[in-house]
């Protein structure tokens, strides 16, 4: 059992770096192992001493079943107006997530702080390994192939073109959620984990991703708030003044430098994205995303009362995008935003189910730095869902598993202390 748990933490951060493609469907090593782990977990000794934890897990399971049924029924009723390939893939991954959570309910699976910290540091080591390959060999590992990075992702800043480090992720902007939980934990314990913290920050900075920079800011702000609730707004004000001061110095003395261009470009892009292009400037990727956000919102608002409540069917937005010649990119399965994608495909009821799922996940956690770090990784995913639409990213549900297992560890230790 210990080896199974350790392997779960070892494979978790590989993200898109290792796996196989079957047709157009990727099977990542982490999600493949999730199924293996679930099968093995069915054989774990059952106990029902974890009433509060398992009650929450049961609630999540019921909600996932409701989501599955809602998707199936509404999509079947609109079968001629949905992307059936995406619909099938969605139901399969919904089912696999259900299988994973059902397999561990009532079991003694538990993850010690030592194992979780080991997983955090292994994650950093793995990303450093990818960084060495990236910057020294100009290569990146992606699924079952090795490609030249220079042909894929670069960030343009005036006359400068910089490679964007993506680590084990398919895109630079997707590395942030993978490192969010480690960043929170390392920042919470910076006095003894300073070297690891610096490594984590550097890895995120060299992605040249606006969303990853936002994740860094949110992490620092959250830590500030937890440790200085009374003086939080004063500290934020001081921090903002400090940042404005530093940025002003950089812009004044080196306005044509790559650093100043990175600062201006990312700020401009953030404003442009928030305002859907009304202000600021957008690069090609951001323009594509904002276009789909506006299209999905309009699709939801144009629906009749049943479509607003129950949605148009899972795969409906994908089908609509494929037949919309006004879009920059038509081959988009979801609208780059899980909340809007849920509203278009599964309606207000689907969004309510989604919210209740994460509410029950949140209620599992206790108040300590490691539990906070595990939840923070999931909370950042909720923020990141503003620019992605995939609910079934395997590492999200493995983080849910980490939270469940850690809380069970605390419960076991608490019972042992009472008995002694």
């Amino acid at each position: 059992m210990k080896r199974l748990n350790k392997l779960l933490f070892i494979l978790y951060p590989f993200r898109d770096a290792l796996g196989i493609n079957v047709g157009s469907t990727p099977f990542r090593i982490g999600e493949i192992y999730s199924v293996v782990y679930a099968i093995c977990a069915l054989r774990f000794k059952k106990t029902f001493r974890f009433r509060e934890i398992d009650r929450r897990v049961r609630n999540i399971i019921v909600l996932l079943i409701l989501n599955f049924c809602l998707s199936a029924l509404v999509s079947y009723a609109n079968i001629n107006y949905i992307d059936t390939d995406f619909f099938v893939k969605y139901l399969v991954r919904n089912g696999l997530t259900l299988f994973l959570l059902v397999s561990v309910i009532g079991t003694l699976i538990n993850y010690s702080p030592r194992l979780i910290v080991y997983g955090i540091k292994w994650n950093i080591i793995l990303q450093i390994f990818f960084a060495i390959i990236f910057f020294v060999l100009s290569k990146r590992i992606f699924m079952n192939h090795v490609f030249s990075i220079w042909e894929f992702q670069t960030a343009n800043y005036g006359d400068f073109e910089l490679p964007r480090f993506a680590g084990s992720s398919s895109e630079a902007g997707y590395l942030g959620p993978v490192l969010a939980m480690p960043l929170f934990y390392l920042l919470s314990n910076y006095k003894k984990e300073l070297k690891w913290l610096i490594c984590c920050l550097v890895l995120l900075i060299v992605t040249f991703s606006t969303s990853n920079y936002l994740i860094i800011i949110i992490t620092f702000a959250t830590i500030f708030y937890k440790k200085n609730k009374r003086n939080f707004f004063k500290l934020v004000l001081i921090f903002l003044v400090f940042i404005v001061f530093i940025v002003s110095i950089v812009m004044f003395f080196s306005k044509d430098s790559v650093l100043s261009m990175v600062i201006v470009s990312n700020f401009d892009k953030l404003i442009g994205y928030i305002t859907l292009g009304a202000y600021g400037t957008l690069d090609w990727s951001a323009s594509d995303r904002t276009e789909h956000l506006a299209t999905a919102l309009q699709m939801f608002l144009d629906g009749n009362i049943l479509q607003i409540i129950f949605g148009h069917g899972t795969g409906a937005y994908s089908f609509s995008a494929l037949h919309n010649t006004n879009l920059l990119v038509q081959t988009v399965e979801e609208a780059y935003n899980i909340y809007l994608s849920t509203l278009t495909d599964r309606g207000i009821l689907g969004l309510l189910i989604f919210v209740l799922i994460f509410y029950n996940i949140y209620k599992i956690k206790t108040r300590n730095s490691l539990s906070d770090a595990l939840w923070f990784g999931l909370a950042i995913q909720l923020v990141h869902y503003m620019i992605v639409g995939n609910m079934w990213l395997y590492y999200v549900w493995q983080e849910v598993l980490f939270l469940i297992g850690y809380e069970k560890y605390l419960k076991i230790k608490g019972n042992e202390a009472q008995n002694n």
Side-chain angles (χ1 to χ4, degrees):
M1 183 172 174
K2 289 183 179 179
R3 290 179 180 177
L4 288 172
N5 292 342
K6 191 172 184 179
L7 193 56
L8 188 71
F9 282 84
I10 289 174
L11 297 180
Y12 156 78
F14 271 92
R15 189 66 165 89
D16 301 296
L18 193 60
I20 58 173
N21 285 303
V22 179
S24 61
T25 303
F27 290 90
R28 302 164 182 86
I29 188 67
E31 61 189 350
I32 292 172
Y33 185 68
S34 292
V35 177
V36 174
Y37 188 87
I39 293 171
C40 295
L42 290 173
R43 301 177 60 188
F44 291 169
K45 181 180 178 181
K46 301 294 180 181
T47 177
F48 291 91
R49 290 184 298 168
F50 309 102
R51 293 181 181 176
E52 182 62 25
I53 298 171
D54 283 330
R55 182 171 67 84
R56 291 296 176 186
V57 177
R58 283 194 292 270
N59 289 347
I60 296 168
I61 289 170
V62 169
L63 290 164
L64 288 174
I65 292 172
L66 288 175
N67 186 72
F68 186 97
C69 293
L70 177 65
S71 300
L73 292 173
V74 177
S75 300
Y76 181 75
N78 296 275
I79 196 67
N80 294 323
Y81 303 98
I82 65 169
D83 178 350
T84 53
D85 287 342
F86 173 71
F87 165 61
V88 171
K89 183 169 67 174
Y90 183 94
L91 285 191
V92 168
R93 286 185 164 157
N94 189 155
L96 291 177
T97 301
L98 260 170
F99 178 50
L100 178 64
L101 292 180
V102 168
S103 71
V104 301
I105 192 168
T107 67
L108 281 167
I109 64 155
N110 64 91
Y111 311 129
S112 67
R114 182 179 178 182
L115 178 60
I116 296 172
V117 173
Y118 164 84
I120 286 172
K121 294 182 176 179
W122 160 246
N123 191 346
I124 303 296
I125 292 171
L126 185 67
Q127 304 307 331
I128 291 174
F129 169 74
F130 287 128
I132 292 171
I133 293 176
F134 179 83
F135 290 109
V136 176
L137 302 178
S138 302
K139 300 286 184 180
R140 73 188 294 237
I141 297 176
F142 180 64
M143 295 299 285
N144 58 339
H145 299 286
V146 179
F147 296 110
S148 170
I149 183 60
W150 311 112
E151 297 176 1
F152 279 82
Q153 294 180 332
T154 58
N156 296 306
Y157 301 105
D159 296 329
F160 300 97
E161 186 174 3
L162 301 175
R164 300 180 67 195
F165 173 62
S168 59
S169 299
S170 60
E171 295 183 22
Y174 292 171
L175 185 60
V178 177
L179 290 176
M181 183 253 288
L183 178 62
F184 187 93
Y185 171 77
L186 296 170
L187 187 58
S188 299
N189 300 275
Y190 69 93
K191 291 183 179 179
K192 65 177 182 179
E193 305 287 5
L194 184 59
K195 292 180 180 179
W196 291 98
L197 173 61
I198 292 173
C199 289
C200 189
L201 286 170
V202 170
L203 288 167
L204 288 171
I205 289 170
V206 295
T207 62
F208 297 105
S209 166
T210 306
S211 63
N212 289 349
Y213 295 160
L214 186 61
I215 287 172
I216 293 174
I217 293 171
I218 292 173
T219 307
F220 273 86
T222 305
I223 296 294
F224 277 148
Y225 178 75
K226 287 181 66 63
K227 295 188 174 181
N228 302 277
K229 291 182 180 180
R230 292 183 179 180
N231 300 315
F232 175 70
F233 292 105
K234 184 189 296 184
L235 288 169
V236 168
L237 182 61
I238 293 171
F239 176 75
L240 290 175
V241 171
F242 174 75
I243 291 297
V244 170
F245 176 71
I246 295 297
V247 170
S248 299
I249 290 177
V250 171
M251 298 298 295
F252 181 78
F253 288 102
S254 56
K255 61 181 180 180
D256 294 325
S257 69
V258 64
L259 178 58
S260 64
M261 290 182 180
V262 169
I263 292 171
V264 171
S265 176
N266 280 282
F267 180 77
D268 210 29
K269 182 178 176 180
L270 179 62
I271 297 299
Y273 193 84
I274 292 174
T275 60
L276 295 181
Y279 300 96
T281 57
L282 298 172
D283 59 17
W284 186 89
S285 175
S287 297
D288 171 36
R289 290 178 183 276
T290 55
E291 192 175 60
H292 280 284
L293 296 183
T295 304
L297 179 61
Q298 194 60 51
M299 179 178 175
F300 169 70
L301 295 175
D302 288 343
N304 59 42
I305 186 64
L306 289 178
Q307 291 168 335
I308 288 174
I309 295 174
F310 299 105
H312 296 74
T314 297
Y317 184 79
S318 178
F319 181 88
S320 175
L322 282 171
H323 293 82
N324 188 338
T325 56
N326 295 320
L327 295 172
L328 288 172
V329 178
Q330 294 174 265
T331 55
V332 173
E333 291 179 333
E334 296 181 277
Y336 292 123
N337 182 300
I338 199 169
Y339 308 103
L340 285 176
S341 294
T342 302
L343 285 173
T344 59
D345 288 12
R346 289 167 296 283
I348 292 174
L349 181 57
L351 185 61
L352 177 62
I353 291 172
F354 176 86
V355 171
L356 289 175
I357 286 172
F358 276 87
Y359 170 78
N360 278 278
I361 292 171
Y362 174 78
K363 295 298 286 187
I364 292 172
K365 72 181 288 295
T366 55
R367 292 179 179 271
N368 68 48
S369 62
L370 203 49
S371 185
D372 286 345
L374 291 168
W375 168 248
F376 183 79
L378 290 164
I380 284 297
Q381 187 60 53
L382 291 177
V383 176
H384 199 243
Y385 277 150
M386 297 294 292
I387 59 173
V388 296
N390 193 346
M391 185 177 178
W392 309 116
L393 292 170
Y394 79 90
Y395 68 84
V396 176
W397 296 99
Q398 285 189 358
E399 284 191 6
V400 172
L401 208 61
F402 298 162
L403 186 64
I404 294 169
Y406 179 60
E407 295 303 321
K408 289 191 176 183
Y409 170 87
L410 294 177
K411 189 76 172 178
I412 291 169
K413 291 300 177 184
N415 289 340
E416 289 177 354
Q418 287 182 352
N419 293 334
N420 292 333

